[in-house]
Amino acid sequence: METLTYLPSFRRRLLRKSGGILVMALGLAGLAAWLMAYVWINQMARLPLQNEAQLVAHAIVQGGELQIEAYYWDEPHHRLLERHIDPFFLQVFDAKGRLLRQSDNIALLGAPYPQTLLHPPVAQEPFWQPLRTFRIGSHTLYYVVYPLYDAQQRYLGALQLARLEPGFLALYRQTALGIGLIWAVLSGLTLLLLALSSQRVLGPLHQLTQATAALSADRLHEPIRIQGPLDRETALLLSALNDLLRRLHEAFDELRRFTANASHELKTPLTILRGQAELALRRPRSAEHYRETLHNILRQTEHLTTLVEHLLLLSRLDQPETPFSFTPVDLSALVAQELEPFRARAAARGIALTAALDPKAQTMGVATLLKEVVRNVLDNALKYTPKGAIEVTVMRSGTQVVLEVRDTGVGIPPEALPHITERFYRVPSTAAGVEGHGLGLALVARIVTLHNGVLGFASQVGQGTTVRVTLPALAIAIPDPQPIDT
């Protein structure tokens, strides 16, 4: 069996596509979580500076002027540097950017401190803006520049307020690292779960593949069975495959029966032909004896010809691509024409053959094939009716035309009815002493199906059989139809 190694496996495609999408989704979720954490850290970091700036602004902005001394500059967090006090480094600038005053703890930093505004004043930093920082000696500070306005919204100056950076920048990195680790762990777990899930799905499929590869033509009747629980889709696939194998087994069985029966049916007349010829050649015979031998040979040749013609016609009908030309067919006229050869046979056996033919019974069909239907149905009726009558009816019923042949013959046992359209099937209880090869009704059924029709049977043993062929009617108007004289 071809390995098909050039095709990607289901597990690889699942991990590559579904796994890739899930890993990307987890990554996007992690990025969104980090951004939310980033915004929250920024807001929490700026909040103390914003509150302090608003407090100072409220104290020093009075009467449209900056009253620097109105603020209490001796607060511990403006004089001291110890971290437990949480020192704030405050500078006040006028509208021209000149430094007016700064808190005493700035001098304690032991390094030069900016004496100008580090950036234009902003009342509220946007949430995406990272913390603004600068270094003084060994200290890292973050800051805000807050504008000062009077009641008429005139710009009076600005506050530059800084604070020792307590670890927010490290928290950015730690948060990103934590989210990254969580993303890696979740991605690994996701891929692992996908791999395990694919194994659960692929396990039954591997069993199915191995069981199918191990099948042979003589084991098609054995259903494939898979161990373990099955998903609904896998169970449906298994059911469909077993159904396919069953139909293949039936088709192979039918082919074997067909081959055996065809061989038997062909061999029988050939054997008779050979026996008649050998018998005639064994010693001189009278002219009458030779004539009888030739009649027997002719009868077997006709039987053999009919068998071969039926086999060829069935072969054509079994090929879907075989073209057939459908034309309007007057079914009553066709039946009337085919009845003539059977009238003499019926009269010779004392059987009454009558017909009631509706001239409106027209259909779209293949005339040569419909003739085969009529011939085979009438031939069966005559062969299995020792005495009595045969009634042939053709009528139009709504959108259908119906051909019905009713006889008073031997009938068909109920258990045989489902099989009478099988190829080479002959009813055991009635086939003895009756010529035939068991292809007639199989041919009729195939032709009726080709015409989108329905073939039906009703029979009682000892009382007779009714064969009913229903075909789609031709939707045309027939002016003033005249009855057909039969």
Side-chain angles (χ1 to χ4, degrees), residues 400-439:
Q400 299 173 328
V401 293
V402 178
L403 164 64
E404 190 173 270
V405 177
R406 180 183 292 108
D407 64 54
T408 58
V410 296
I412 303 171
E415 65 274 10
L417 279 174
H419 306 286
I420 57 177
T421 57
E422 295 176 5
R423 298 177 186 187
F424 293 109
Y425 179 82
R426 302 189 70 191
V427 180
S429 60
T430 59
V434 179
E435 289 188 358
H437 43 66
L439 288 178

Side-chain angles (χ1 to χ4, degrees), residues 21 29 59 67 80 113-114 141 165 170 173 187 225 255 282 294 300 325 341 363 390 395 402 411 435 453 469:
I21 292 174
Q67 302 291 333
L80 304 176
Y113 195 88
L141 292 84
E165 197 279 306
R173 294 189 293 271
S187 297
R225 292 183 174 86
L255 181 61
R282 185 171 300 170
L294 290 175
Q300 292 302 322
S325 178
T363 185
I390 299 174
M395 59 183 176
V402 178
E435 289 188 358
V469 177

Side-chain angles (χ1 to χ4, degrees), residues 285-328:
R285 307 272 182 176
S286 65
E288 183 62 27
H289 190 276
Y290 282 125
R291 187 178 295 108
E292 182 182 350
T293 299
L294 290 175
H295 277 304
N296 290 335
I297 292 175
L298 179 61
R299 186 166 59 253
Q300 292 302 322
T301 303
E302 290 174 348
H303 177 79
L304 190 60
T305 301
T306 301
L307 174 60
V308 172
E309 288 176 348
H310 282 181
L311 287 173
L312 291 175
L313 182 54
L314 278 171
S315 176
R316 287 186 62 205
L317 291 170
D318 285 340
Q319 298 175 12
E321 66 275 9
T322 303
F324 290 100
S325 178
F326 281 69
T327 58

Side-chain angles (χ1 to χ4, degrees), residues 325-329 334 338 365-373 451:
S325 178
F326 281 69
T327 58
V329 175
L334 183 147
E338 293 301 317
V366 183
T368 54
L369 297 181
L370 293 177
K371 287 181 181 180
E372 286 291 337
V373 171
H451 286 76

Side-chain angles (χ1 to χ4, degrees), residues 42-360:
N42 282 350
Q43 290 178 340
M44 292 300 100
R46 291 194 183 102
L47 185 60
L49 294 178
Q50 293 286 349
N51 290 340
E52 183 72 12
Q54 291 173 4
L55 180 63
V56 174
H58 181 72
I60 66 175
V61 176
Q62 297 182 11
E65 295 180 351
L66 295 179
Q67 302 291 333
I68 303 300
E69 300 305 324
Y71 179 67
Y72 184 67
W73 289 85
D74 289 331
E75 290 283 353
H77 60 274
H78 289 315
R79 292 188 300 106
L80 304 176
L81 191 61
E82 286 76 8
R83 279 189 176 271
H84 68 274
I85 297 176
D86 192 11
F88 284 79
F89 306 95
L90 175 61
Q91 293 173 306
V92 181
F93 295 83
D94 63 13
K96 294 183 179 181
R98 294 174 298 197
L99 178 63
L100 299 179
R101 184 169 177 174
Q102 64 183 16
S103 60
D104 295 340
N105 57 1
I106 289 178
L108 300 178
L109 290 171
Y113 195 88
Q115 300 297 299
T116 60
L117 292 175
L118 297 177
H119 72 85
V122 179
Q124 182 68 43
E125 293 278 8
F127 69 87
W128 64 83
Q129 176 66 44
L131 296 178
R132 301 180 190 274
T133 63
F134 63 92
R135 287 190 64 83
I136 298 296
S138 61
H139 301 286
T140 300
L141 292 84
Y142 73 99
Y143 68 96
V144 296
V145 180
Y146 189 80
L148 299 172
Y149 296 97
D150 63 7
Q152 286 73 38
Q153 292 299 307
R154 288 185 300 116
Y155 177 66
L156 302 179
L159 298 176
Q160 187 160 270
L161 188 60
R163 184 187 182 203
L164 293 175
E165 197 279 306
F168 292 125
L169 301 180
L171 187 57
Y172 289 154
R173 294 189 293 271
Q174 292 170 2
T175 303
L177 180 61
I179 292 176
L181 289 175
I182 293 174
W183 170 79
V185 171
L186 290 179
S187 297
L189 289 176
T190 299
L191 295 177
L192 178 61
L193 288 175
L194 284 176
L196 294 176
S197 298
S198 67
Q199 180 63 32
R200 182 178 179 276
V201 172
L202 292 176
L205 293 180
H206 286 320
Q207 292 185 49
L208 184 59
T209 302
Q210 294 171 357
T212 305
L215 284 175
S216 58
D218 58 341
R219 295 178 53 208
L220 293 179
H221 64 285
E222 299 178 6
I224 297 176
R225 292 183 174 86
I226 296 179
Q227 302 297 325
L230 299 180
D231 296 323
R232 182 169 62 90
E233 291 78 7
T234 306
L236 289 174
L237 175 61
L238 178 61
S239 176
L241 182 58
N242 281 330
D243 187 57
L244 174 62
L245 292 175
R246 178 185 56 79
R247 295 198 302 270
L248 283 174
H249 176 69
E250 291 174 355
F252 284 154
D253 267 358
E254 184 177 350
L255 181 61
R256 283 191 286 265
R257 287 195 303 270
F258 176 84
T259 303
N261 290 330
S263 300
H264 174 75
E265 292 294 332
L266 289 171
K267 182 179 179 180
T268 300
L270 288 174
T271 302
I272 294 175
L273 287 174
R274 180 177 179 177
Q276 292 287 336
E278 289 177 347
L279 186 62
L281 291 173
R282 185 171 300 170
R283 57 184 177 81
R285 307 272 182 176
S286 65
E288 183 62 27
H289 190 276
Y290 282 125
R291 187 178 295 108
E292 182 182 350
T293 299
L294 290 175
H295 277 304
N296 290 335
I297 292 175
L298 179 61
R299 186 166 59 253
Q300 292 302 322
T301 303
E302 290 174 348
H303 177 79
L304 190 60
T305 301
T306 301
L307 174 60
V308 172
E309 288 176 348
H310 282 181
L311 287 173
L312 291 175
L313 182 54
L314 278 171
S315 176
R316 287 186 62 205
L317 291 170
D318 285 340
Q319 298 175 12
E321 66 275 9
T322 303
F324 290 100
S325 178
F326 281 69
T327 58
V329 175
D330 185 339
L331 189 59
S332 292
L334 183 147
V335 171
Q337 180 182 358
E338 293 301 317
L339 273 173
E340 294 307 317
F342 291 94
R343 291 187 183 277
R345 289 175 55 188
R349 297 175 54 187
I351 297 173
L353 178 59
T354 59
L357 309 178
D358 183 354
K360 296 180 182 179

